[in-house]
Amino acid sequence: MSTSAGVINRFSLQLTFLLFVSVVVVTLFSALLTAPQRDEISEFYLGNRTMSPLRNGLAMCGDYVSVATLLGSTGLVALTGYDGLLYLGGTAVAWMMVLLVIAEPLHNSGKFTLGDTLALRLPHSQRSVRVALSLCTLAVCVLYLVAQLVGSVALLTQFVGEPGSATRALCVLVIGSIVVLYASIGGMPGATFIQVVKAVMLVFGVAVTAVMVVHHYRWNLGALLSSASGNSGVGHHFLEAGLRYGATTTSKLDFLSLQLAIVLGLAALPHVSMRLLAPRSSKVLRASVVWGTGLVGFVCMAAGLLGLGATAVVGRDSIAKIDPQGDVAVLLLAQSIGGSVLTALISCLAFVTLLAVAAGLTLAAASSLAHDLYAEAIRKGRATQTEELGAARLAGVVIGVLGMLLALVSWEISTATLAFLAFAIAASAILPTLVYGLFWRRFTTRGALLSLYGGLFSSVLLVVISPVVSSAPGSIYPDADFAWFPLQNPGIVSIPTGFLLGWLGSLLSRRQDTTRYDEFEVRIMIGTGQP
């Protein structure tokens, strides 16, 4: 967001603050009550494994849907119409891939982290693979965490205008400190509670707002679409492809690259993968992912409807004038059709969304550092549960502090850029390793290391030499010009690179004993040895 003055009135600010503090107090108190009382790492990493599929599905929805969906996707639809709706469709496809391809094999072969699955698949060289995977996990989680913290500053801008350095620092420190408490003290039980609360609030909030929008047009969707086209400033082109992604070959490739990163990256996001390991049985897992897919799909559908409603009620030009990125669209819509109360509800929901996603990311990064790097790679499995639990809680604090520091120095970078880079790294580095490890008999340690490091390096390098960093008006360094890669998202190149390196590295390795894969294959089919 880039507004120069706050667009939300003072009463909404006060009501938002009251609602937000109430939610934080209740959820923090509940997180402390549900925090692991014993020094058992399984409870800290996986939480209550007896939850129903509905609660697990709510937690999955709360873990995944970020403020970029609530504000960013809604704004994208408001400004670009059909192109924005097409972008939202990628999320539903991504969850179908998780359900049909990744969820059950990962659940059956995993323990606490993705590193456990790869260690079981490649036992002779598990230390090097765990270290590489920890670095990729850290990169994905920290980037996504920084995006959430930067988003909190951008959201605050809508209330107080462009904040000063002290206000920015206070906002990031408050949000970041609350996140650290959820993750480091509450563990998975604490993170799960805030995610379930957030998901219930999210579904309720977008449903109420969507109903009000449709009611505003007397339940006539045709009238809503006609009004959106009329207030878009571009007429019927608003409901056709081309406003953002279809105008040129480069923009089409950029859209394809972005969708590849979203669809493939979701299955490899560390905080989503940890959530897939939490259900006790495969039956509960399948039902949980179905619930999660349905809830996320409903939120995305509602976000599309709210985006169209914002254009119809507020007007595309009015939204773009206040915020060229469109993130303020849903707040302006809420203010127009529901007044201060609805605006405060949506604003509070946005802040709670930041907390829930950030808590899951911090926990996933801390778990990987404590379990894969410290307990298994450094201590070689000799760490006691008490030591590992202490390391996990300390790692949560370190990750939180690192995220806060990076957010303070990179607050001008677009939250979407940070989030999409995280998705690209997950899809380019972690996903190839995971897919090959689960389904390819000849996969080797060399292939895993080349895939992990190569996918990470290629994603970051392509972003550095893209218009995200230089040569474009919205770049980090607009006056410089070293954008040799023309696309905003690297996925279309970095994802095939990650898969290619994993395949090539495995072919160039010495042939390994494939009988171990036969045992592994049995495990991913029936799930023997689950904790």
Side-chain angles (χ1 to χ4, degrees):
M1 299 180 188
S2 55
T3 56
S4 58
V7 298
I8 309 301
N9 62 50
R10 189 173 185 83
F11 177 73
S12 291
L13 172 61
Q14 294 171 341
L15 187 56
T16 299
F17 180 76
L18 179 62
L19 291 173
F20 178 69
V21 170
S22 300
V23 172
V24 168
V25 169
V26 171
T27 53
L28 274 179
F29 182 71
S30 300
L32 292 175
L33 289 179
T34 59
Q37 303 299 316
R38 299 167 295 177
D39 291 337
E40 292 187 5
I41 55 175
S42 61
E43 189 178 358
F44 184 86
Y45 291 145
L46 302 180
N48 179 10
R49 306 194 71 201
T50 62
M51 289 198 309
S52 67
L54 175 57
R55 289 184 63 192
N56 272 312
L58 285 167
M60 289 177 183
C61 176
D63 225 348
Y64 173 72
V65 177
S66 69
V67 73
T69 303
L70 180 62
L71 302 183
S73 298
T74 305
L76 186 62
V77 173
L79 297 182
T80 65
Y82 178 84
D83 286 358
L85 294 173
L86 198 62
Y87 161 80
L88 280 172
T91 300
V93 176
W95 275 95
M96 292 304 297
M97 179 181 174
V98 172
L99 173 63
L100 298 176
V101 180
I102 295 296
E104 195 163 344
L106 178 62
H107 176 268
N108 290 342
S109 62
K111 189 178 180 182
F112 301 133
T113 65
L114 290 176
D116 291 326
T117 297
L118 294 178
L120 185 67
R121 176 67 176 84
L122 304 168
H124 296 301
S125 307
Q126 62 168 291
R127 291 180 65 196
S128 58
V129 174
R130 284 186 187 271
V131 170
L133 186 59
S134 292
L135 292 177
C136 291
T137 298
L138 183 64
V140 171
C141 291
V142 169
L143 280 170
Y144 213 173
L145 175 61
V146 171
Q148 305 308 306
L149 296 177
V150 170
S152 69
V153 177
L155 185 58
L156 183 66
T157 302
Q158 305 308 323
F159 294 96
V160 300
E162 194 67 47
S165 57
T167 305
R168 287 197 305 270
L170 180 61
C171 178
V172 169
L173 289 175
V174 169
I175 298 294
S177 298
I178 296 172
V179 166
V180 168
L181 289 175
Y182 283 129
S184 295
I185 297 179
M188 181 62 88
T192 298
F193 188 85
I194 180 63
Q195 285 152 5
V196 170
V197 170
K198 168 265 186 91
V200 172
M201 290 180 61
L202 179 67
V203 171
F204 175 77
V206 298
V208 168
T209 310
V211 167
M212 294 180 69
V213 169
V214 178
H215 179 71
H216 184 77
Y217 289 94
R218 299 183 179 180
W219 302 90
N220 187 336
L221 292 179
L224 170 62
L225 294 175
S226 297
S227 181
S229 297
N231 286 340
S232 67
V234 292
H236 66 276
H237 294 295
F238 183 73
L239 299 178
E240 298 176 353
L243 278 183
R244 175 160 180 167
Y245 294 115
T248 64
T249 301
T250 299
S251 65
K252 292 178 181 178
L253 289 174
D254 214 354
F255 178 72
L256 175 61
S257 185
L258 174 61
Q259 290 292 65
L260 282 174
I262 292 174
V263 170
L264 300 179
L266 171 62
L269 289 176
H271 63 304
V272 173
S273 300
M274 278 193 71
R275 183 62 59 189
L276 297 177
L277 297 173
R280 173 68 67 181
S281 66
S282 296
K283 180 180 179 181
V284 175
L285 171 70
R286 288 192 295 269
S288 300
V289 178
V290 169
W291 272 110
T293 303
L295 290 167
V296 172
F298 173 80
V299 171
C300 289
M301 181 179 68
L305 186 60
L306 296 184
L308 294 173
T311 304
V313 175
V314 181
R316 181 169 175 261
D317 291 339
S318 298
I319 296 171
K321 184 178 180 181
I322 295 174
D323 180 7
Q325 296 183 30
D327 293 342
V328 74
V330 70
L331 298 178
L332 293 175
L333 172 65
Q335 197 171 50
S336 298
I337 66 173
S340 299
V341 175
L342 184 60
T343 305
L345 174 64
I346 298 298
S347 302
C348 176
L349 181 54
F351 278 113
V352 174
T353 296
L354 287 166
L355 288 180
V357 175
L361 292 165
T362 304
L363 179 63
S367 299
S368 182
L369 290 181
H371 184 66
D372 292 324
L373 192 60
Y374 172 73
E376 298 295 338
I378 297 177
R379 293 297 307 276
K380 301 179 182 179
R382 294 192 295 266
T384 65
Q385 292 198 50
T386 301
E387 291 174 340
E388 185 173 341
L389 184 59
R393 285 178 164 150
L394 178 60
V397 176
V398 172
I399 296 298
V401 171
L402 177 62
M404 286 185 270
L405 292 176
L406 291 176
L408 289 175
V409 300
S410 59
W411 65 275
E412 291 183 316
I413 301 178
S414 167
T415 57
T417 297
L418 295 168
F420 292 154
L421 176 57
F423 271 84
I425 294 174
S428 306
I430 300 177
L431 182 67
T433 308
L434 185 59
V435 170
Y436 283 145
L438 290 174
F439 304 114
W440 189 26
R441 180 183 299 272
R442 294 190 58 186
F443 190 53
T444 65
T445 301
R446 179 178 293 179
L449 295 178
L450 281 178
S451 185
L452 288 167
Y453 288 125
L456 173 62
F457 178 75
S458 62
S459 300
V460 175
L461 177 63
L462 289 174
V463 169
V464 170
I465 59 173
S466 77
V468 169
V469 177
S470 70
S471 78
S475 301
I476 299 174
Y477 301 108
D479 297 329
D481 187 8
F482 48 87
W484 302 306
F485 182 69
L487 306 182
Q488 298 271 343
N489 191 282
I492 198 170
V493 174
S494 60
I495 295 173
T497 298
F499 277 97
L500 177 63
L501 289 174
W503 172 78
L504 186 62
S506 297
L507 290 185
L508 296 178
S509 303
R510 293 181 300 172
R511 185 178 294 274
Q512 295 190 356
D513 183 8
T514 57
T515 58
R516 289 190 174 273
Y517 180 77
D518 295 333
E519 300 171 0
F520 179 80
E521 189 176 32
V522 171
R523 175 159 179 163
I524 67 174
M525 294 294 291
I526 64 176
T528 57
Q530 271 287 300

